[in-house]
Amino acid sequence: MLNAGGSGDTICAVATPVGEGGIGIIRISGPETLSIASRFIRIRSGIPLCTIESHRLHLADILRADVSLTEASLRFQTPIDEALVVYMKAPRSYTAEDVLEIHAHGSQTVLAMISESCLQAGCRLATPGEFTKRAFLNGRLDLSQAEGVLATIKATSEQSVAIAQRHLRGDLKQAVDQLRSRLLAMLAHLEAGIDFVEEDIEFVGRDELKKVLRETADVVDAALNSSRTGRVLREGARVVIVGRPNVGKSSLLNRLLGDSRAIVTDTPGTTRDLIEETVHFDGATLSLVDTAGLRETTDAIEREGIRRTEEAVRDADLLIIVIDATDLAQAAPTFDIPMFDRGNVVVALNKIDLLTPSQIADLSDHFSLPDGGAPLPISTVTGEGLKALREVIKDRVGLRSLEPSQSVTITNIRHQEILLRCREYLAKALDSIESGTHPECVAVDLRGAADTLGEITGVITSDEVLHRIFSQFCIGK
Ligand code: GDP
């Protein structure tokens, strides 16, 4: 079981990243914040630190807190730095404890010296994520919001910031709490019914119970579906470029990357390995994989390349099939790719710079794609069609649908795993109702579903889970 809030000791840490900066911040949190800080901070205006107004910036001198120094000698010490300090009185602070921040100059030496003063004066060095953990234990944030803090710090794109912010503000918590309290209400009715089963009193109708379970399952399914978007944001979309040898795959990869990563040659079959690079498109990250050309071969190394191509095709979020527009007869085998059935394919007709305008106009007439879409004429030499291709890529990997107004998106693997377990409980409960099993069995699964949901917000959790989550934070957060 968890401790209740406030863990007694007062912690400190540098909250800004390592390196030189205009400002470096040291954070102190805990019940002894003011008395510890007054041992090495002198407010310029002369008022005693323990009487300063909360939530206001105060100019101060930061001193060395050498225990052997007397109060009088501290007065004549050369300060470590001149800084702004802000006191945030409990519970109106990040941790809900007394917090004091020292905004000093961002020199690593200055920050190390001030940290030393904090320790000498009685602080303990915070462990990673301990400030946020205290915020959680003190009820300032639930677990999904704490994870929103971490996701915000680690966000690498505008979309992932927007989604992390929604979690931080409690959107996920609210959605989960709603589902959970509905399930718990049903459970209470069901359990009351079990107690009166001899008298044949039904406290909740089967139909109503089924309705609630189905609706809950629908919301959980929608959240699980959103986790694909979440994965794209977390890891970037996997866009795989595939096609026959010499059609211009490496050239396209290079064009999209803007440098010369892949080797471009005239000899078919040179790209034997997968080449992976990432590019940023409007804030999201796409991985491009240039693959070995697809063709029959007896060469062992090339065969290995083709095996890897097939694997990459299986894992892709989007496949770009490149076809040489001057050699359409060669294109047919490319369409044997099983990925086509799933619809996430873009066909690019490359080398249109070698065709006349009327030949280009004829292309789409001669081309009917299995999914009914039109191929995209491009030239990696002249750059024609590449802008349109980038737009299509963005559409097809779902980047455009990531508007901040979208409902809760699951980006966290822990949440995804919990929702999958919850979904299993719901399915089992529904099965039990259908097959007329004793209400006690239904109640067990209903309780299971509600408890798993509680793991997202942290009402049901263990120290081990907390340790796993907060150890991912940096010290000072
Ligand atoms: P890959 O084997 O599919 O990766 O093909 P490469 O990118 O290595 O290109 C094969 C050959 O086609 C090279 O000589 C490229 O210069 C040439 N090539 C690629 N794209 C175009 C294009 O749009 N127009 C023309 N004219 N040549 C191209």
Side-chain angles (χ1 to χ4, degrees):
M1 272 316 285
L2 298 171
N3 310 319
S7 56
D9 53 357
T10 297
I11 53 173
C12 71
V14 177
T16 38
V18 176
E20 213 176 86
I23 297 170
I25 297 176
I26 287 164
R27 218 177 205 183
I28 304 175
S29 177
E32 299 301 319
T33 293
L34 277 185
S35 63
I36 289 177
S38 58
R39 289 178 200 137
F40 65 97
I41 298 176
R42 293 283 170 270
I43 301 297
R44 277 283 175 82
S45 67
I47 56 165
L49 183 90
C50 44
T51 65
I52 58 171
E53 204 182 331
S54 180
H55 294 82
R56 281 275 148 87
L57 284 170
H58 304 268
L59 183 63
D61 287 322
I62 316 297
L63 308 169
R64 271 171 288 125
D66 192 327
V67 278
S68 62
L69 287 175
T70 62
E71 183 69 16
S73 59
L74 270 178
R75 218 174 286 280
F76 298 106
Q77 200 192 101
T78 308
I80 299 172
D81 196 11
E82 160 181 296
L84 287 172
V85 298
V86 57
Y87 166 55
M88 285 161 275
K89 188 171 166 55
R92 285 182 53 222
S93 73
Y94 182 64
T95 56
E97 301 173 336
D98 267 0
V99 167
L100 186 126
E101 281 180 7
I102 305 169
H103 299 203
H105 291 103
S107 133
Q108 290 308 295
T109 314
V110 165
L111 295 176
M113 288 166 80
I114 298 176
S115 296
E116 185 55 35
S117 278
C118 293
L119 298 176
Q120 288 278 357
C123 281
R124 167 173 69 72
L125 198 60
T127 55
E130 194 170 2
F131 291 91
T132 309
K133 187 174 180 180
R134 285 186 175 201
F136 166 70
L137 293 174
N138 291 326
R140 259 271 287 121
L141 302 170
D142 83 319
L143 213 46
S144 72
Q145 289 173 301
E147 287 169 309
V149 172
L150 182 65
T152 303
I153 293 171
K154 296 201 183 275
T156 53
S157 67
E158 285 175 25
Q159 287 96 336
S160 39
V161 169
I163 289 173
Q165 281 292 306
R166 288 209 295 272
H167 288 193
L168 197 158
R169 281 196 293 266
D171 285 14
L172 181 58
K173 171 188 179 339
Q174 219 173 22
V176 165
D177 282 350
Q178 251 172 26
L179 288 183
R180 192 163 175 267
S181 60
R182 243 184 130 194
L183 290 180
L184 288 175
M186 281 294 121
L187 183 67
H189 286 307
L190 194 66
E191 283 176 342
I194 292 166
D195 292 341
F196 291 89
V197 82
E198 272 93 73
E199 280 114 276
D200 231 13
I201 301 172
E202 231 189 25
F203 278 73
V204 55
R206 275 162 40 104
D207 289 343
E208 195 192 343
L209 187 56
K210 272 196 321 204
K211 180 169 169 282
V212 170
L213 288 173
R214 287 228 174 86
E215 284 171 4
T216 310
D218 286 347
V219 178
V220 171
D221 282 344
L224 281 168
N225 282 337
S226 77
S227 60
R228 194 194 84 85
T229 310
R231 186 185 62 72
V232 167
L233 285 174
R234 210 175 44 246
E235 298 164 10
R238 278 183 78 83
V239 177
V240 175
I241 302 175
V242 72
R244 307 278 301 173
N246 235 19
V247 293
K249 298 182 300 297
S250 311
S251 310
L252 176 62
L253 174 75
N254 289 337
R255 270 291 195 159
L256 291 172
L257 293 180
D259 64 27
S260 297
R261 175 69 173 80
I263 318 148
V264 180
T265 72
D266 281 327
T267 330
T270 17
T271 316
R272 288 176 169 177
D273 214 353
L274 297 179
I275 295 172
E276 263 203 84
E277 282 281 354
T278 53
V279 280
H280 294 281
F281 271 141
D282 283 356
T285 310
L286 307 187
S287 294
L288 295 169
V289 184
D290 180 41
T291 58
L294 290 172
R295 60 172 195 163
E296 297 294 315
T297 178
T298 47
D299 181 312
I301 301 173
E302 208 172 308
R303 249 204 330 263
E304 172 59 16
I306 291 172
R307 194 192 61 75
R308 289 204 219 169
T309 303
E310 286 165 355
E311 204 174 280
V313 164
R314 253 199 326 273
D315 294 345
D317 295 305
L318 175 70
L319 204 62
I320 302 178
I321 298 183
V322 185
I323 290 169
D324 186 336
T326 64
D327 190 10
L328 294 184
Q330 287 286 321
T334 315
F335 294 114
D336 293 340
I337 297 170
M339 188 81 177
F340 234 115
D341 305 336
R342 288 164 43 193
N344 34 7
V345 175
V346 174
V347 176
L349 289 176
N350 189 30
K351 307 195 188 181
I352 55 161
D353 54 294
L354 298 177
L355 303 182
T356 62
S358 67
Q359 282 175 311
I360 297 174
D362 285 349
L363 274 181
S364 11
D365 295 345
H366 293 124
F367 230 94
S368 72
L369 297 184
D371 68 351
L376 215 73
I378 63 162
S379 165
T380 67
V381 170
T382 62
E384 207 179 330
L386 292 179
K387 190 159 174 266
L389 178 61
R390 281 171 196 267
E391 294 301 311
V392 171
I393 293 175
K394 271 196 287 190
D395 274 338
R396 293 293 192 91
V397 296
L399 295 175
R400 250 194 248 297
S401 59
L402 299 177
E403 296 304 325
S405 61
Q406 198 179 315
S407 58
V408 174
T409 305
I410 298 299
T411 49
N412 183 311
I413 292 172
R414 189 183 80 89
H415 299 164
Q416 193 181 344
E417 184 271 323
I418 290 171
L419 289 174
L420 281 170
R421 266 192 290 132
C422 174
R423 191 66 186 80
E424 274 172 32
Y425 278 118
L426 293 171
K428 273 206 294 197
L430 275 164
D431 276 355
S432 302
I433 299 171
E434 290 294 350
S435 57
T437 317
H438 194 276
E440 264 179 51
C441 297
V442 182
V444 167
D445 291 325
L446 206 52
R447 161 77 59 199
D451 282 356
T452 31
L453 283 179
E455 291 176 34
I456 291 184
T457 53
V459 279
I460 309 271
T461 192
S462 65
D463 282 340
E464 188 205 329
V465 170
L466 290 189
H467 176 73
R468 235 190 0 251
I469 292 171
F470 290 106
S471 59
Q472 297 169 55
F473 281 67
C474 42
I475 290 180
K477 190 63 215 176

